[in-house]
Each structure stands twice: as structure tokens, then as C-alpha cells.
Amino acid sequence: MIGRPMPARVRAAYRAEMNAARATGDAAARWRHLERAHIISQPWPWPHTRNHLAMFVLAVAQRDRREAFGQVVRIIVAAPGSALGRYPEGNTGRARAGLTQPMPLPADLAELLASR
């Protein structure tokens, strides 16, 4: 969404998920927060790319080569995909999820994103 800022309510939810991911010591919880932040960020190029950068950092820290490589690919395509409106809605952003595979939105995120 080039030129269209992230609404304040959506930005607050995105930041809350990113902050929660940084604050937790539990790896599974960290991934859940990053996945939710990814779903929120998809329509906006910079937050979407920033989310994949955070996923890449976590994958490297966990020495997960498959995930790290998948995140490199996603970092490259995140901004153009968002800018062009070509992203799989609801996709968690993980390497195990196909690049173009839409996924069901969690109900709370569907409501949040409907308000944009």
C-alpha cells in the first residue's frame, strides 16, 4: 500500500506483537507473535519487510538453516508484494508456509484488518 499509512489501531497491534516477540524467552511464543505481526503487516511494505528481518534473525539464532533461507527469499519479495497488493492473506510468513499460500485469518486479526 504505497502512500497509504498503516492506521494507528493496526500499527499499535503490529508493534504490540513485535514487542511481545522480543520480550518473551520462549521460542514457540516468539514465533507465534512474529506470525501474527506478519499477518498484520502484509499490506504495508516496510513493516512487512521488517517482520521478515525479525524472523530471519530468530531463525539464525536458532540455527534453523531452512527457515533462515526461506526468510531471505521472503525479505526480497515482501516489499514488492505488499506494494503491489500481491501477498497471500493470512499467511504466517514462515518457510513451512508456501510463498503464495493464503491461510485463514485469526478472527481478531480479521476484525482488526477489516477496519483499515
Side-chain angles (χ1 to χ4, degrees):
M1 299 214 156
I2 293 177
R4 185 170 175 205
M6 185 182 271
R9 185 171 168 227
V10 175
R11 181 171 298 283
Y14 170 74
R15 285 183 177 161
E17 293 293 347
M18 293 296 283
N19 289 336
R22 276 191 294 277
T24 185
D26 177 52
R30 184 168 289 154
W31 279 114
R32 278 192 305 275
H33 289 297
L34 289 175
E35 288 172 353
R36 288 176 55 81
H38 178 264
I39 293 167
I40 295 167
S41 71
Q42 283 180 302
W44 295 276
W46 172 239
H48 188 190
T49 303
R50 182 174 170 225
N51 178 262
H52 281 296
L53 288 167
M55 288 181 164
F56 172 76
V57 168
L58 180 54
V60 169
Q62 294 180 335
R63 295 189 169 115
D64 185 339
R65 290 180 183 167
R66 181 178 182 274
E67 187 68 45
F69 178 75
Q71 291 308 318
V72 168
V73 172
R74 285 158 177 78
I75 289 165
I76 293 167
V77 301
S82 292
L84 296 172
R86 296 186 53 127
Y87 53 86
E89 190 172 80
N91 186 291
T92 62
R94 297 287 302 274
R96 66 176 180 246
L99 272 173
T100 60
Q101 177 187 359
M103 301 170 115
L105 285 168
D108 62 325
L109 298 184
E111 181 182 331
L112 175 72
L113 293 171
S115 70
R116 64 183 161 119

